[in-house]
Amino acid sequence: MTSFATAALSRVLPPLQLGSLTVDTPVVLAPMAGVTNRAFRTLCREAGASTGHHPGVYVAEMVTSRALVERNSEALRIVTFGDDEVPRSAQVYGVDPATVGAAVRIIVSEDRADHVDLNFGCPVPKVTRKGGGGALPWKRQLFTDIVRAAVEAARPYGVPVTIKMREGIDDEHLTYLEAGTIAEGLGVAAVALHARTVAQHYSGQARWTSIARLKEAVTTVPVLGNGDIWSADDALRMVRETGADGVVVGRGCQGRPWLFADLAAAFHGETVRVRPTLRQVAETIYRHGELMIDYYRDGDTAEHAADAEGKGMRDLRKHMAWYLKGYAVGGEARRALALVSTRAELRERLDALGDAPYPGEAAEGQRGRAGTPKTPHLPYGWLDSRELDATWEAKLREAELSVSGG
């Protein structure tokens, strides 16, 4: 990788303050289901730290409050962090204030995390069709009660609570300004906005002007911007255009954990960027595989640990296309890596790739599938009122899935 010996120029932004936590680099890894487990967080954090700066905040996969309260083993695995993860950051999803409060209390009282984020932005139909995720802030009192329950549960332990949300359900049902100011008044430590609606899903362009509007409305806690950050230059441009206090990066780092080195350098006024050769990418993939095996080897049962290599390799497969984007490795090699099942196979197939220089723009830009706008899946009559009656309260509890909201 490129050396970061370049002398620092001037900081682009001051450190990010999340309650009592001071984060030197104002960059947050967004929680992504099936992606931001401990193995991938380690790669991202190591890349950011390679610049010599504290690398930021790296949030674990979203976990449902019900699963935590029921002490589901996989839910507890999601909120189990490595000894070198500082700060430890967990994201909770829930639709019942009492359950969310109880889940947050488990996290903070058992010293499982240093920061808790609440998810109000998930656009996945299996969540929104029951009123959860990005659909929930439409019911303002329910949103208020959930945020209050989480903040009050965490306050005695000094653990900051933040929220991440979308603009709203669609352009006719925007909620982000109201939700942001409500959360600010309830004592959250920061507010993050993915500048798309649920209807947009991941399509089109994120509307950074909404981040700027939220920054004008929320004045006493940091406002973080999310959406279409594919490079360090994008992050700097978002900050310039919106006044955001930091950025949240999701799909842009898939197959590119070294993006966090670029981001750390950029926010500290440095211009050097990581441009890995194919051989360097291959070594990163192999280390990712080793970390995945270690992650699954820490299972709570002997059976779980025995299949650690298989589980790790199967989980790694989804990352291959992201890692190899832009590199001329050939279809056969891509297919072989997408079917890898053992560490030995992984080593053999990566060695067969040889080496090649960084392919430039072909390796950059959008990651994953943006898809197309979608009609939001909502409960029947959900948009008829901003209020929530007893019947809806009972139905909403069904929106809490077993472990993760996806």
Side-chain angles (χ1 to χ4, degrees):
M1 299 293 179
T2 305
S3 169
F4 278 84
T6 306
L9 303 175
S10 58
R11 291 186 67 105
V12 173
L13 286 176
L16 178 63
Q17 197 69 39
L18 300 179
S20 61
L21 296 177
T22 300
V23 182
D24 188 44
T25 302
V27 174
V28 177
L29 166 64
M32 292 178 280
V35 176
T36 58
N37 56 33
R38 191 180 71 204
F40 188 67
R41 294 198 307 272
T42 296
L43 290 174
C44 295
R45 192 179 66 257
E46 287 177 349
S50 71
T51 64
H53 306 294
H54 189 283
V57 178
Y58 297 81
V59 188
E61 299 171 87
M62 182 177 78
V63 63
T64 67
S65 56
R66 178 187 293 179
L68 279 175
V69 171
E70 294 176 351
R71 304 195 77 84
N72 174 281
S73 61
E74 186 58 26
L76 293 174
R77 168 192 289 277
I78 290 173
V79 293
T80 299
F81 297 86
D83 293 338
D84 55 351
E85 291 194 70
V86 180
R88 300 162 299 167
S89 182
Q91 190 188 64
V92 172
Y93 158 84
V95 295
D96 175 62
T99 308
V100 171
V104 172
R105 193 169 296 108
I106 287 172
I107 292 172
V108 298
S109 67
E110 297 178 6
D111 190 28
R112 291 181 173 271
D114 307 302
H115 160 237
V116 175
D117 187 57
L118 300 178
N119 182 298
F120 295 108
C122 181
V124 176
K126 67 181 179 181
V127 172
T128 60
R129 70 163 53 100
K130 295 178 180 177
L136 194 145
W138 179 251
K139 302 298 185 182
R140 60 167 70 89
Q141 190 58 53
L142 178 63
F143 173 83
T144 299
D145 291 345
I146 289 174
V147 175
R148 179 185 290 115
V151 171
E152 290 181 353
R155 182 177 289 123
Y157 299 88
V159 174
V161 173
T162 61
I163 69 166
K164 185 170 183 284
M165 59 184 175
R166 287 194 173 226
E167 292 175 303
I169 294 172
D170 54 32
D171 287 347
E172 285 69 49
H173 302 89
L174 300 176
T175 53
Y176 71 101
L177 292 176
E178 178 185 58
T181 53
I182 288 173
E184 178 185 26
L186 292 171
V188 300
V191 175
L193 176 66
H194 183 164
R196 286 182 170 90
T197 62
V198 171
Q200 283 182 274
H201 211 71
Y202 295 100
S203 67
Q205 289 188 318
R207 296 180 289 202
W208 291 359
T209 53
S210 295
I211 300 170
R213 291 189 65 197
L214 183 62
K215 176 63 179 171
E216 293 174 353
V218 174
T219 60
T220 63
V221 297
V223 171
L224 309 177
N226 177 219
D228 294 351
I229 296 177
W230 310 112
S231 69
D233 289 341
D234 290 334
L236 296 178
R237 184 166 59 86
M238 174 186 279
V239 167
R240 287 196 304 269
E241 293 181 6
T242 68
D245 300 290
V247 299
V248 179
V249 179
R251 293 174 299 148
C253 70
Q254 291 176 342
R256 299 177 67 211
W258 49 85
L259 176 59
F260 288 94
D262 289 356
L263 290 163
F267 278 110
H268 287 272
E270 299 165 0
T271 58
V272 179
R273 301 290 182 264
V274 177
R275 299 293 181 262
T277 66
L278 179 58
R279 172 49 49 201
Q280 290 169 328
V281 171
E283 291 308 310
T284 300
I285 294 173
Y286 189 73
R287 174 154 170 72
H288 193 166
E290 290 185 311
L291 290 168
M292 290 296 295
I293 293 170
D294 289 343
Y295 174 66
Y296 284 111
R297 187 176 288 129
D298 291 341
D300 59 325
T301 66
E303 180 182 0
H304 194 134
D307 191 32
E309 184 170 8
K311 282 179 173 290
M313 292 300 100
R314 289 192 293 273
D315 209 336
L316 182 64
R317 293 172 184 173
K318 72 166 85 63
H319 296 264
M320 295 300 184
W322 299 329
Y323 272 119
L324 297 174
K325 175 179 166 63
Y327 291 89
V329 300
E332 184 175 344
R334 290 176 185 274
R335 284 190 294 274
L337 283 165
L339 295 173
V340 68
S341 57
T342 67
R343 184 179 354 212
E345 286 179 357
L346 179 64
R347 182 74 276 172
E348 180 182 0
R349 294 172 188 183
L350 289 174
D351 288 345
L353 295 178
D355 200 6
Y358 183 71
E361 292 184 3
E364 300 174 2
Q366 183 168 307
R367 327 291 292 182
R369 297 178 181 178
T372 58
K374 299 173 174 60
T375 301
H377 292 248
L378 303 170
Y380 180 78
W382 185 253
L383 298 178
D384 293 346
S385 170
R386 300 295 307 274
E387 306 309 319
L388 193 71
D389 60 24
T391 301
W392 274 118
E393 288 180 5
K395 289 181 178 180
L396 276 174
R397 292 186 178 91
E398 299 175 8
E400 299 219 27
L401 310 180
S402 60
V403 178
S404 171

